[in-house]
Amino acid sequence: MVPRCVIVAGFPRSGTSWLARGLSFAPGFTYYREPDNHDRVAEAEERFAWLYLTADRDDPAYRELMTRACAGRIATAFTMRDDPGPLLSPFGAPGLWLGERMPALFRRKSNVLVKLVFASLNLDWLTASFPHARQLYVLRHPCGQFESWRRLGWEPRPARLLEIPQLMADHLQPFADLLRRASGFWERAGALWGAMVYVIRRQTPPESRREIVAYEWLCGDPVQRFRGLYRRLELDWTAAAESFLTTANHQGEGWAYSLHRVAARQVDGWRPRLTQGEIDACRRFVEPFELPYYPGFEPEVASVTGDLPAR
């Protein structure tokens, strides 16, 4: 029997860490964090962050990386930090250090949960290459996502999309002028978010094994909505998952990468940190893509996938 694989993907700072950690308690699965992170994983090349692949376009080096990742064979102190297994978990950081040198000590279950943060342009390729895998893509309102980018000093660069001829030809040529015109931070943020989500939507037909879910929807009722995702992904809900989501739903230490936050405050907690002019600039460069997400540019959404029964 082929081991099961669940892929959680999304933009950096869109909620992928919380989502993947919330799913990581499914019995029989081991969680691998960001094997595509070129800053932390040796085999992940920097060019992969802007790689555009489809069912008909391949890249041997990327295929090698993702084949190993989706089989649970990239086990490092970074990728295994949240799920190092029963032998090393009691030892914390020293255990991770030891596992880095002796990967066999990372005791792993047969099924794989993998979180990817640089795969947004490769979802179609992942579907074709790993048809057995379920995909869960998380969206976050662009103002919330990029307000976090700004605090971290990251810059949105939609002009990089213009440098990918096949992507432009397949999807984005009608928006080439808009991508070129985006100048200020929030114009570039809106253009980048709109273009990437536009491509993802076009590549996600109703019959797809990919689910698209809004971060803000999850924040509205974490326990019940994660429970629903478990059902749709055919995962077994556990008391450990409920305990994690309940415990994490409290104010943490304010660290940028902390998973402990009051979920309801994440929906529009970015508003006091943005001016109306900044919000309007982002909106002007998102709206030309005519996306169905976040009607009225408001983050309070019922859901993206909808409160649907299990398949």
Side-chain angles (χ1 to χ4, degrees):
M1 180 179 294
V2 177
R4 296 186 62 194
C5 179
V6 174
I7 298 171
V8 173
F11 282 101
R13 310 304 296 166
S14 63
T16 54
S17 293
W18 181 53
L19 175 54
R21 189 73 177 110
L23 295 175
S24 70
F25 300 95
F29 281 80
T30 292
Y31 170 36
Y32 301 83
R33 183 174 65 115
E34 299 180 22
D36 61 340
N37 188 321
H38 54 79
D39 288 329
R40 304 301 298 271
V41 176
E43 303 95 323
E45 301 177 31
E46 186 172 359
R47 68 184 179 88
F48 292 167
W50 296 95
L51 194 63
Y52 170 61
L53 301 177
T54 66
D56 302 319
R57 293 173 56 82
D58 198 19
D59 183 281
Y62 189 76
R63 175 173 290 280
E64 171 66 17
L65 176 71
M66 285 296 104
T67 298
R68 295 184 62 230
C70 291
R73 291 192 284 115
I74 300 182
T76 70
F78 175 75
T79 63
M80 305 294 292
R81 187 189 71 179
D82 294 320
D83 194 3
L87 290 181
L88 300 181
S89 290
F91 301 102
L96 291 171
W97 180 88
L98 185 60
E100 186 84 60
R101 285 144 187 81
M102 302 178 65
L105 295 178
F106 288 121
R107 299 302 297 271
R108 287 162 269 176
K109 305 178 185 72
S110 59
N111 299 320
V112 174
L113 170 67
V114 58
K115 182 187 78 153
L116 304 175
V117 291
F118 296 113
S120 294
L121 294 177
N122 295 323
L123 300 179
D124 191 47
W125 180 90
L126 287 167
T127 297
S129 299
F130 307 104
H132 67 288
R134 295 291 297 272
Q135 294 181 26
L136 189 59
Y137 194 89
V138 59
L139 290 183
R140 186 178 184 182
H141 191 283
C143 288
Q145 179 185 310
F146 285 99
E147 191 276 328
S148 182
W149 279 41
R150 186 170 66 172
R151 281 186 284 125
L152 291 169
W154 299 354
E155 290 288 338
R157 295 187 171 90
R160 291 293 300 268
L161 303 177
L162 295 166
E163 301 170 3
I164 310 173
Q166 195 60 51
L167 174 66
M168 297 301 297
D170 288 352
H171 301 286
L172 296 177
Q173 197 56 50
F175 306 100
D177 183 61
L178 180 135
L179 295 172
R180 292 189 188 97
R181 287 191 292 107
S183 56
F185 181 94
W186 288 104
E187 290 183 352
R188 288 182 283 115
L192 179 59
W193 189 92
M196 298 284 272
V197 175
Y198 178 82
V199 173
I200 292 162
R201 181 178 182 240
R202 284 167 61 92
Q203 293 183 335
T204 308
E207 68 276 10
S208 173
R209 286 174 62 80
R210 180 182 311 125
E211 307 281 351
I212 299 177
V213 62
Y215 171 72
E216 294 82 2
W217 175 72
L218 289 171
C219 288
D221 189 349
V223 170
Q224 291 306 313
R225 288 170 182 174
F226 269 85
R227 189 191 290 268
L229 287 181
Y230 268 70
R231 287 196 301 270
R232 287 185 63 75
L233 295 170
E234 299 175 307
L235 307 177
D236 293 326
W237 181 254
T238 65
E242 184 160 347
S243 176
F244 164 76
L245 292 166
T246 301
T247 302
N249 195 12
H250 292 86
Q251 186 60 44
E253 64 278 14
W255 180 50
Y257 295 96
S258 173
L259 299 184
H260 288 78
R261 303 175 183 186
V262 178
R265 295 179 188 170
Q266 306 311 307
V267 173
D268 63 352
W270 45 266
R271 286 191 190 274
R273 296 189 286 269
L274 270 67
T275 67
Q276 188 60 47
E278 291 171 329
I279 296 171
D280 291 343
C282 185
R283 181 174 184 172
R284 283 198 307 273
F285 279 75
V286 169
E287 287 189 336
F289 293 95
E290 299 182 346
L291 297 165
Y293 315 122
Y294 303 110
F297 211 59
E298 292 296 322
E300 295 85 359
V301 295
S303 83
V304 169
T305 57
D307 297 317
L308 302 174
R311 287 175 174 167

